[in-house]
Amino acid sequence: MDDQRVSILERIGLEKPLVQAGMGGVSRHLLAAAVSEAGGLGTIAVPGAAAIASELAAARSMTSKPVAVNLLLPFARRSWFEAAAAADVVVTFWGTPKRRVPGIWLHQCGSVDEAHAARAAGADGVIVQGVEAGGHVRGTEPALELLERVKAALPDYPMFLAGGIATRTDVENAVASGADAAVAGTRFLLSDECVAHPEYKQRLLSANSTILTELFGFGWPAPHRVVANEATASQAGPSGEIPFINKLINRASAAGARFTPESVQRRAVAHQSPTSRMLTPHAPSEDLPRRFVEAGPLYAGETVARIDKLLSAEKIVTSLVG
Ligand SMILES: Cc1cc2nc3c(=O)[nH]c(=O)nc-3n(C[C@H](O)[C@H](O)[C@H](O)COP(=O)(O)O)c2cc1C
């Protein structure tokens, strides 16, 4: 814990108090490298040890600055951690925190209890996630409120804030409230370098609201924030509630998802339709057919209402932290 006298940003080698959130399947080397090169911390989030290694190598060929890898605990296997250990920072999410890599490790958490657990497990810091965040949502209260409570419970512990970050003022508020850095996902999804499907980006640019639901929970029954599409219109209620049968199917699928080969998962994704009861959590990436934008989760945070332009990752970093 001696290292804590050196700030977490210095330990990482981070120039600016800004992190691009790992976004499963859509934050790959192009985005991560561009963010890191601009002075923020770029994060790669892809499933599979080989993909992690090749994305990290590709990012390294584009920048010599620090790069992070994000791993989802319900799915990550030992080989994924081994590949991720080559990154400058490993970020984990969703599950019991446990140290699995020797280097700098951050755990994204949604409660004071979870922050305590991360610290007890030896995490170098936490990302405090608020309920307004996009993607899977661990937090149940606004990010700044949770930050205040985590800060009070663990005053000297490094902590970043995720949720609600779209402008320079948002970053300044986060830092003024005691965050070492701000974490933005949706803002970086709406960048040229993000490999989300172009139609997915367009939907977000014109969206004014989001839904918190468990609809896309096949293999991972957990709350997530999305923008409406045909799937939510046909199966989710106005506040995101889903039919009991979907809940049952999602719950029953959870145990097998970790052991389902990537190839089988990709086939399930290719056949997904808006009325299917088995809606997987795969985000619509640019390599999926356009119709998947109606059948897959259009993950986005509440900031989507305040973002109306696609920008380069470099411009986003500049607009957020100068
Ligand atoms: C498209 C998308 C995918 C996400 N995937 C992941 C993920 O794979 N792992 C993770 O730790 N967090 C994931 N998140 C959540 C982010 O880490 C972060 O909490 C969130 O983006 C912050 O809210 P914001 O999007 O409003 O900035 C995702 C968020 C989005 C928008």
Side-chain angles (χ1 to χ4, degrees):
M1 289 286 164
D2 280 0
D3 280 358
Q4 286 199 9
R5 268 171 284 145
V6 179
S7 86
I8 187 77
L9 301 196
E10 284 173 88
R11 285 187 63 203
I12 296 171
L14 189 52
E15 296 163 20
K16 296 173 178 170
L18 181 65
V19 177
Q20 165 249 314
M23 294 179 283
V26 296
S27 66
R28 300 193 190 176
H29 66 273
L30 270 187
L31 177 58
V35 171
S36 291
E37 193 54 25
L41 179 66
T43 307
I44 290 164
V46 289
I52 292 167
S54 68
E55 288 291 322
L56 193 54
R60 295 274 193 227
S61 73
M62 296 173 67
T63 182
S64 54
K65 298 192 176 165
V67 176
V69 164
N70 179 282
L71 293 173
L72 294 170
L73 294 175
F75 308 101
R77 300 168 202 183
R78 186 200 295 209
S79 59
W80 304 18
F81 281 96
E82 286 165 3
D88 300 279
V89 179
V90 173
V91 180
T92 54
F93 189 35
W94 216 279
T96 308
K98 185 177 161 200
R99 182 166 270 288
R100 305 280 297 270
V101 288
I104 300 177
W105 165 45
L106 305 174
H107 182 72
Q108 181 162 232
C109 65
S111 67
V112 174
D113 282 354
E114 205 179 356
H116 273 296
R119 184 178 169 140
D124 297 279
V126 283
I127 297 175
V128 171
Q129 190 203 41
V131 70
E132 63 273 70
H136 283 77
V137 181
R138 195 79 168 164
T140 56
E141 63 192 298
L144 284 166
E145 287 175 25
L146 180 58
L147 181 77
E148 194 181 326
R149 295 199 307 112
V150 177
K151 195 88 206 156
L154 299 166
D156 300 321
Y157 195 45
M159 59 191 73
F160 297 179
L161 175 139
I165 303 294
T167 64
R168 182 183 301 240
T169 308
D170 298 330
V171 176
E172 285 169 356
N173 285 344
V175 172
S177 305
D180 292 280
V183 181
T186 305
R187 180 56 274 194
F188 282 110
L189 190 137
L190 293 168
S191 68
D192 303 326
E193 291 87 349
C194 175
V195 296
H197 196 285
E199 180 63 20
Y200 172 14
K201 294 182 185 176
Q202 284 309 317
R203 294 300 174 87
L204 265 50
L205 288 174
S206 51
N208 286 315
S209 62
T210 58
I211 309 169
L212 189 60
T213 184
E214 293 194 15
L215 183 63
F216 302 94
F218 189 74
W220 188 10
H224 39 271
R225 189 174 292 286
V226 296
V227 157
N229 61 0
E230 271 183 37
T232 60
S234 68
Q235 298 196 61
S239 11
E241 63 274 26
I242 60 170
F244 186 62
I245 179 73
N246 294 52
K247 278 192 193 163
L248 278 184
I249 292 172
N250 288 349
R251 242 175 267 153
S253 68
R258 189 185 185 124
F259 305 102
T260 312
E262 261 302 291
S263 56
V264 175
Q265 290 187 29
R266 289 210 62 89
R267 235 173 294 141
V269 168
H271 290 104
Q272 191 158 311
S273 85
T275 52
S276 161
R277 296 283 183 199
M278 291 177 277
L279 293 173
T280 71
H282 281 252
S285 46
E286 63 183 15
D287 52 338
L288 287 168
R290 186 190 168 108
R291 64 183 157 71
F292 189 73
V293 171
E294 297 299 351
L298 304 184
Y299 296 124
E302 287 180 1
T303 56
V304 79
R306 299 192 274 131
I307 304 172
D308 55 12
K309 257 198 210 94
L310 269 189
L311 295 173
S312 70
E314 186 192 359
K315 282 223 171 87
I316 295 172
V317 173
T318 309
S319 76
L320 292 177
V321 285

